[in-house]
Amino acid sequence: MTDLAKAYTPHDVEGAIYERWLAADVFAPDGSGSTADPDLPPFTIIQPPPNITGSLHLGHAQRTAVEDLMIRHARMRGHRALFLPGLDHASIAAQFVLDGILATEGESRESLGRDRYLERMREFVATTREVMLGQQRRVGGSFDWSRLRYTMDEGSATAVRVAFERLYRADLAYRTEALVNWCPGCRTSVSDLEVVGTPETGTLWSVRYHVIDPATGRPSPGETITIATTRPETILGDTAVAVHPDDPRYTSLVGRLVRIPFAERDVPIIADDVVDPAFGTGAVKITPAHDHDDHETGLRHGLAAPTILADDGSVAGTGTRYDGMDRFEARAAIVADVEAAGDLVAAVPHEMVIGRCQRSNDIVEPRLKTQWFIRTTPLAQRALEATRSGRTRILPERFEKTWEHWLTDIRDWNVSRQLWWGHRIPAWYCPDGHVTVSSEEAGPDACAVCGRAAVELQQDPDIFDTWFSSGLWPFSTLGWPDDTADYRTYYPTSVMETGYDIIFFWVARMMMLGLQLTDREPFHTVYLSGLIRDPLGQKMSKTKGNVVDPLGVIDEAGADALRFALIHGATPGNDQRFGPAKLEHARNFANKLWNATRFVVGARPATIPEGAERRLPDAHHLGPAERWLMSRAAATTKAVDAAMASYAFGEVTRLVYEAIWNEYCDWGLEFAKVRLADERLGQEEREATWWTLVEVLDTYLRLLHPVMPFVTEALWAALPHRVTDPDLLIVARWPGVGEADLLVERDVTLLIDLVGEIRNARASARLPASDWLETLLYVPVELGPTFEALRPAIERLARARPLQRELTPEALGAAARPGDLTVIVAGGQIEAAVRPKTTDDDAGALERDRLTRDLSEAEGWLSAARERLANESFVSRAPAAVVDAARAREAELTDQVEKLRDRLER
RNA sequence: GGGCGAUUAGCUCAGCGGUUAGAGCGCACGGUUCACAUCCGUGAAGUCACUGGUUCGAAUCCAGUAUCGCCCACCA
């Protein structure tokens, strides 16, 4: 049982509660503690698996908070809610981390060799994996830990092999020599997505090539063609010079040969449309093995494509003195040599976009390699159909445009990586070059083409892009390719929540692979969160040192506060800044809730025994405040349901925050305090009041639970429960929408306004806050019963006592004295005269100031309202309800102005 | 070169066709009333970036402009 005598300390509350949930086995949808209704469809979220070598950052915490919110809501609604946790082996990222550690030990990938390196990686990963999992627990994610998965576990390995084999058989995976993005720093190819275009100022060198005299086969004196290049080292790989076919400057040279410096190779001058005559010199060197455009050009013209770079980015195989130099060293040397030869025509600064490796920041070199590719166009077509048909929805909707654009122009996906940590590509090659793809764990028995024995086959040394296994995540985690019970029950999943920054990397790949391999959309909704930024709006990064550790935040303010802060005021797809102010706001809210509950529990009338079974408040004994509370709870529940249905989670927190703080605590508890202490009331009334507080608080705890699971669970335990309630809030039912009582809402709102106006009048006149002041007041007959029921509370909240009620406005006017403060609520529906203990000129002047201010304000609104109603089109075209409301408003303002004028003239 | 987003109170952000545009923080003034000073009360503070248009009515819809940010793109 939660000890409410103590002050709220999140740390004490949270640790114990997670253990209770685990012990009760409520996380698994089929766990012993589940209260799910098997007739309802299941609700599944497969969490984007965090990197196994990483540590939790705010982005992870946000992800878990949002996903867990949806999961807990679905669970309370009675769905079998599966929140499947996982870890990603993060091939290249993990190797990057481990390589850094090895470097400090004087070791390297090469020094260890593949087997020892992988052994070392497995040890490393074994130590890091628990860190991330423990952190996910602290955030409060209600994961089904019994279904924990890992992208390098056996299930994933099988899924990867089977997926690849099926793609191969469907001719959607192919092996070919192609230009790939090579990162010399990482010694692997990377996908187009991992190349980051970086604007930089380079140099555009103009170099004179010598044209060959066909008669002598030697450079013709005086005949040259000047090419422009930003990468002079690639001269060594040139196999042509291209000009535009319609460029008159070069027409005569087309078809001639030109000598490539240093390489001493004579290559043709060709004509091709790709050349822009206006750029540079209008003549382009063609290096088919190291440039995307040139590669295409080379294919069109049947050019050779010599590779001039080694894996580490050094020049190799050119037979020149540059062999062995790093590419940038070679560049400098070549420029110097060209200049020495008198062939450097110009060198001008040039703004350009350089492709850098997302991981190592090294400059990526296009390079020819024989690798595996996924044929994406047919897959993308199906993915596009999924969103176009609405079978899968992307939120916020605007990202569908980005999605469309990318999938429409998609290029084939290079999935081979020359790394070690990851899933080995299940392709074997026989000495004759035949390819055998097999999903068998032990590999094929024989070459699929020529039947050579397995011993003669060599497996491809490469591994898959880490996103290949991630792309299978929604179904590989549920047992696919086997037709398991989990797969049948929980696939397709429901919502895929992730950051918009990996929509292509991951979401698109899951969609493409999911549709191809399972024939279903892997989820019906993609919810894209924004990124978390620091208080200055900068992206959080280790190098900037502005990364916030969620665990530190949780230690300080609690996971509930962290979750609330991350969800409150955020909208999907929009970045949000995160700082101490938001966290403090959230923690204060948790504290408020704690104290409110403490009050309710402590306010139990003595006639109700401790531990009494929950009772619905007896409708006959409810006062207006109680009915108001119940009606407001119904309205809030309805609004929260609407917000949940539209994934407006920031709106959910706003609604519940306001209902709890500004309605329940500010007014509900204050009204109740008076009524619970009112000796003139019967036992039934006092009990009904208390049961109302319990009932409404119970509703709000349920509504808030998905956002702040720990504190709500702890507090709920301190409230009496219904017989049908489970032991834990996490598996309790989401509240139904109760009945609205609009009449009582209107009346109570008026009386709340009255208290506010009296307080305002007193504060404006600078009367001591603690004074009880004699007050005369007029309340219309129809409001009478409500007023009388709340009179003791109004007296106390307004510190207005004695409170003398007059029967008519005229009687009030006659009884009021000069010096009394004038209070007019809602155009005079309620009026009051508050009598200061002493009158002085200062107070009188302040009072006149206030009334004058009120008057001019009211006059402004009134003239606006009249203008509006004077507009013929408004009256005839606007909906009747709007016009009626405007008329009522005008009438009210007219009264207000009249009364204020009257009062000021006296 | 395309595309997207943002621009609302001093700051951080909600709101995205209907009376007087909201919150938190900050600010000013006042509070030791038995849930909470992680609190309570009162208040000040905004031509909703700009220009046009649609509409009875626009912060909200449309078009354009400006500034900032992001994504995509093979011009050497």
Side-chain angles (χ1 to χ4, degrees), chain A residues 505-570:
Chain A
F505 276 107
W506 196 45
V507 182
R509 268 92 178 250
M510 282 189 289
M511 188 67 92
M512 291 193 290
L513 293 174
L515 279 164
Q516 177 62 32
L517 297 166
T518 72
D519 225 22
R520 323 266 294 267
E521 287 78 15
F523 25 74
H524 61 65
T525 299
V526 175
Y527 177 98
L528 296 170
S529 288
L531 272 33
I532 307 287
R533 296 173 176 279
D534 76 1
L536 299 173
Q538 296 179 303
K539 228 172 171 171
M540 289 190 178
S541 76
K542 279 182 188 162
T543 45
K544 281 199 199 107
N546 58 352
V547 175
V548 175
D549 171 19
L551 290 190
V553 170
I554 291 171
D555 285 340
E556 194 184 312
D560 287 318
L562 174 62
R563 293 168 63 124
F564 186 92
L566 287 170
I567 290 165
H568 189 62

Side-chain angles (χ1 to χ4, degrees), chain A residues 268-350:
Chain A
I269 296 175
I270 57 173
D272 198 290
D273 287 338
V274 288
V275 181
D276 174 3
F279 186 89
T281 61
V284 189
K285 60 192 271 314
I286 303 295
T287 321
H290 296 286
D291 183 275
H292 287 99
D293 268 353
D294 292 2
H295 185 64
E296 297 293 312
T297 311
L299 290 177
R300 275 195 300 275
H301 296 269
L303 301 175
T307 289
I308 62 149
L309 290 177
D311 283 1
D312 63 359
S314 65
V315 174
T318 66
T320 65
R321 74 176 189 91
Y322 310 107
D323 278 4
M325 289 187 194
D326 177 73
R327 59 205 195 278
F328 300 114
E329 204 184 325
R331 176 179 298 177
I334 283 174
V335 168
D337 291 349
V338 165
E339 190 166 18
D343 287 329
L344 184 62
V345 178
V348 294
H350 181 60

Side-chain angles (χ1 to χ4, degrees), chain A residues 51 53 88-99 109 117 121 183 185-191 194 357-360 417-422 463-467 505:
Chain A
N51 288 358
T53 59
D88 195 293
H89 68 285
S91 156
I92 191 167
Q95 282 204 203
F96 202 74
V97 174
L98 183 61
D99 289 357
R109 245 191 257 181
Y117 183 85
M121 180 64 90
C183 172
C186 301
R187 307 278 175 86
T188 180
S189 58
V190 294
S191 73
E194 287 154 282
C357 172
Q358 187 192 46
R359 190 62 49 188
S360 69
R417 292 293 174 275
Q418 294 66 53
L419 301 166
W420 292 342
W421 176 236
I463 60 164
F464 281 108
D465 180 356
T466 194
W467 295 102
F505 276 107

